[in-house]
Amino acid sequence: MTTEDLTARQKSLDDVPARTHRGGSMRLLFGPASGCADGLFGVLDLGPGEVFREHYHPFSEECLFVVSGSVVVGLDGDYTPLDTGGAIRIPRHVRHRVLNESAAPARVVFGLYGIAPSPELGHVETEVAGVVNSETDTVGMERTPGDGPGHKGTGYAQD
């Protein structure tokens, strides 16, 4: 293996622009564009009160690992808290979102396994973008901060 091969396989968060259009700050480190043919790997940073909006992946499973802070993960409307060191597996077709209900920043590492035939088919949005407020964490998705597992959202942009 040459030094050039190793360099092509290394990245830093500083090398990747942040994507913020779905909430929080997501950086995709590896995926098809960087030569990773079978999956995606990245980091999601959420500030206090931030939400990564609900979506699902028809062709991929996803695993989340909380590196720092704590988050609440919604899976088809059921909410599960995850603290530092916690992980969760999200099967294909399961609607999911990630919320930071704490007063501290959170960092989550994610990996998706299985790639859609084209990028636009890999991530299906199910939640309308909206302003986060104290009554709802986004438009159409009621949630009372602190509610634990079993709490159901009441409305989705799509079913």
Side-chain angles (χ1 to χ4, degrees):
M1 184 174 301
T2 67
T3 303
E4 183 179 18
D5 293 334
L6 287 175
T7 303
R9 295 179 180 158
Q10 295 177 345
K11 286 192 181 180
S12 163
L13 286 179
D14 296 334
D15 297 335
V16 182
R19 300 177 182 183
T20 59
H21 62 284
R22 293 183 178 124
S25 175
M26 184 201 46
R27 295 175 191 269
L28 186 60
L29 291 163
F30 295 103
S34 61
C36 185
D38 297 321
L40 303 170
F41 179 80
V43 175
L44 173 64
D45 288 309
L46 291 172
E50 286 189 312
V51 177
F52 191 78
R53 290 196 312 269
E54 189 189 75
H55 61 283
Y56 69 92
H57 306 285
F59 297 92
S60 309
E61 280 194 326
E62 185 169 7
C63 292
L64 305 178
F65 176 77
V66 181
V67 176
S68 62
S70 62
V71 297
V72 177
V73 179
L75 300 174
D76 278 341
D78 289 323
Y79 289 85
T80 301
L82 289 178
D83 293 322
T84 300
I88 194 165
R89 183 183 65 84
I90 304 164
R92 291 180 190 176
H93 300 286
V94 172
R95 295 180 295 194
H96 55 284
R97 62 206 308 266
V98 183
L99 306 85
N100 180 354
E101 295 181 343
S102 75
R107 175 164 281 176
V108 178
V109 171
F110 64 90
L112 280 84
Y113 309 97
I115 295 291
S118 62
E120 65 277 2
L121 298 176
H123 184 106
V124 179
E125 296 286 337
T126 55
E127 189 169 355
V128 178
V131 176
V132 176
N133 65 47
S134 62
E135 298 299 318
T136 61
D137 51 23
T138 62
V139 175
M141 294 293 295
E142 294 180 8
R143 170 145 170 78
T144 304
D147 284 350
H151 177 79
K152 296 266 189 196
T154 59
Y156 295 96
Q158 299 177 17
D159 284 325

